[in-house]
Each structure stands twice: as structure tokens, then as C-alpha cells.
Amino acid sequence: MKREGVKRKNGEAPQQSGGAFRAPRTLEPPAIIERVRRRRTTFPPEAKNDSLRTLLYNAYRHEFSGAPLTRWLIIGLIALAIFWMTGLPPGRWWVGGAALLLALILIVTIVITRRRDFVRFEESSPPVVAAAQLDPADKIPVNVTGYFSVEGQYARYTWLPGFYRTFATREHALLCLVRNRRFLRIGRWPGYQTGMWYVFFTPEMMRRIRYGRLHFGRKAAPAIAVDYEFVIPKSGRFQRDQQVEETVYIACQNEEDARRIWADLIVEEIGEIRD
């Protein structure tokens, strides 16, 4: 299921509090998260704009006057095509046709790359490590791509800086930050999306894990893909809970961190988790 972020009422930014996914049983953020927030934490840096894909993602995410920069670019190309096809400037059909073709290519590219969250996962053989539970006090810096939630709101993000943790209950948590930032001096990340966003999953929700490398532009990092299921609770009286299948990509800063997370995830042998 692919859904974009839902705006909060009155443009209010999400608060930095846990909004765990709901499985068949209710999941709530462990109390330890409250203690984590009170400590000063340095999150990993954002990915650099080193390729057309990273530029496209940031142009799609940053807005000007309430609309993504990619939309303004498409509108500009269509307007250019219409103007040129009036015949006032020279090269009526050549320039107009080229502008329309560029707009079409941009639309198709956005649709295709958005479906893949602008990343590419290259699967490989997993490391040979013994299963080992991560200490609940440990946190491993990561960059996360997938479907996030906070306070009943849901949104897709790519390469968000954050931390991987596993609590004593064996609930796995990805605690990530959307920073308030600008792009190309005119685009700004929507204020209602900035703040902390989370991914929570338990061993019961996990269906499969895969090891490999995650590519985002020119950036490639050792990564783990976790396929899991969760339930989005109904938001209206006449709606039903929605069963959702998702994949979250956990990109690590080095192989050692990836091996630690893999060792933690294989503690419980559930479904196809070792395939």
C-alpha cells in the first residue's frame, strides 16, 4: 500500500512522540523512548544531492507555495509548450513538442521511482553470524526508507536519518528525524511533516528479512530489508481496519553495524526470516 503523508489539522507539525503501527494487538512506544528524547542525540547526516535521483526526490519532497517543485517544473514545461505552439517564437512544433516530451518523461520517471521509494535494493548472501540480542540501551545509526507513522499519521520517506533499537519486549524500533530544510533556496520541506517519525515492528509482524546493499543515487550502503505486516486502524465510523504489507529498508553506516542488526533480527526464527 502506497500512501503519502496526511496533513495534520491547522498545519500543525507532528510532535515528537511515538505513533506505533497497530498489529492484531495494540503496539505502543516503550516508555524508554521518553528517556531517549530527553538526551541530546546527533542524528546521521542527510544524503547528498549527488545524482539525478536524489535531486528528483528532493524536488518531489520540497514545496513552493504549497506544491512540490516537480509539479511546478511540469507546469512550466507545459506552459512553455503551449506558448511556443502559438507560433509567436520560431521553432513552433520542435520546441513545443520537446517541452511536452520532457514533461511526459518527468511524470513517468516520478511515478516509477516513487513506487520504489527512489531507492534500489541489491540482495546478496547474508553474513554468517550467531543470533545475538541487541542491548535495549544500544542504538545504531541508520538511514531508513519505508512507511512511517506518528500519532495516527502515515507517510513514506526515503533515506531518513535515525537509529535502530530493540527493546526488552523484542519490539524493534526505527526512530527517524525529518529536518526542516530548504532545497535550491526556493523549496522548503513542509512544516507539518518535520519532526520525529517511527517504524515499529515485532517478531510476530515480520515475514522475511533480506541482506544486501541499498542504493540511493550514488550512495550505496550495507542494508537489511524487512518485510512485515501491520494493521492501520480505521479512522472513521464506517471504515474498516486495513491490513498492510510493507518493506522497510535499513541502511547502515558500515558492515559491522549491519551484522549487529542482522544478528539481532534472526534471534526469532519466524516464517521465512532465514530464507
Side-chain angles (χ1 to χ4, degrees):
M1 176 180 178
K2 306 290 185 182
R3 295 178 54 189
E4 297 302 323
V6 181
K7 292 189 178 181
R8 298 171 58 82
K9 294 181 179 179
N10 300 322
E12 182 183 358
Q15 300 299 314
Q16 297 188 7
S17 58
F21 290 135
R22 295 184 181 271
R25 64 181 182 84
T26 301
L27 293 178
E28 295 296 339
I32 193 173
I33 293 181
E34 295 298 331
R35 299 197 296 271
V36 172
R37 287 201 207 96
R38 289 196 291 265
R39 294 200 301 261
R40 182 177 296 276
T41 300
T42 302
F43 283 79
E46 307 287 344
K48 294 181 179 180
N49 289 307
D50 56 3
S51 70
L52 289 176
R53 179 162 297 193
T54 55
L55 287 170
L56 182 63
Y57 173 72
N58 278 293
Y60 174 74
R61 276 299 180 188
H62 290 76
E63 296 183 354
F64 175 74
S65 294
L69 295 180
T70 49
R71 186 179 303 173
W72 286 112
L73 180 57
I74 293 170
I75 292 173
L77 288 171
I78 294 175
L80 177 65
I82 294 174
F83 171 71
W84 229 270
M85 287 180 179
T86 60
L88 295 176
R92 178 177 185 180
W93 299 112
W94 288 103
V95 177
L100 283 178
L101 180 60
L102 286 175
L104 179 62
I105 292 174
L106 182 58
I107 292 171
V108 172
T109 302
I110 292 173
V111 171
I112 294 175
T113 54
R114 185 178 60 187
R115 288 178 179 174
R116 301 171 182 172
D117 286 326
F118 297 86
V119 297
R120 178 173 61 88
F121 181 71
E122 183 180 7
E123 188 173 355
S124 61
S125 299
V128 180
V129 296
Q133 294 188 23
L134 196 68
D135 189 292
D138 289 345
K139 58 182 181 180
I140 300 177
V142 292
N143 289 89
V144 184
T145 299
Y147 199 38
F148 294 78
S149 77
V150 62
E151 297 182 343
Q153 307 299 317
Y154 299 87
R156 310 198 67 82
Y157 295 113
T158 297
W159 211 266
L160 275 194
F163 295 95
Y164 171 91
R165 301 177 66 97
T166 295
F167 303 104
T169 59
R170 293 300 297 160
E171 182 179 8
H172 307 291
L174 297 162
L175 320 175
C176 299
L177 176 66
V178 174
R179 293 183 171 99
N180 184 8
R181 52 197 175 97
R182 284 186 172 276
F183 178 66
L184 299 180
R185 296 187 178 183
I186 59 172
R188 180 178 290 279
W189 200 287
Y192 65 88
Q193 293 182 3
T194 58
M196 295 293 296
W197 289 80
Y198 307 98
V199 177
F200 293 95
F201 55 90
T202 63
E204 293 78 13
M205 297 164 63
M206 296 165 60
R207 296 296 173 261
R208 186 164 65 122
I209 61 173
R210 293 165 289 153
Y211 193 87
R213 295 185 70 81
L214 190 66
H215 299 261
F216 181 45
R218 296 182 182 179
K219 178 73 173 178
I224 298 169
V226 180
D227 301 328
Y228 66 104
E229 295 180 356
F230 64 96
V231 174
I232 297 179
K234 61 182 181 180
S235 57
R237 181 178 178 182
F238 300 103
Q239 295 180 343
R240 295 181 179 180
D241 292 346
Q242 295 181 323
Q243 186 76 28
V244 179
E245 297 181 2
E246 272 294 336
T247 299
V248 60
Y249 298 100
I250 307 170
C252 304
Q253 295 187 347
N254 52 64
E255 291 285 351
E256 180 59 30
D257 286 347
R259 290 165 66 92
R260 290 180 64 198
I261 294 176
W262 182 266
D264 180 62
L265 290 173
I266 64 174
V267 168
E268 296 89 1
E269 298 184 30
I270 298 175
E272 302 176 64
I273 197 169
R274 284 187 175 273
D275 292 354

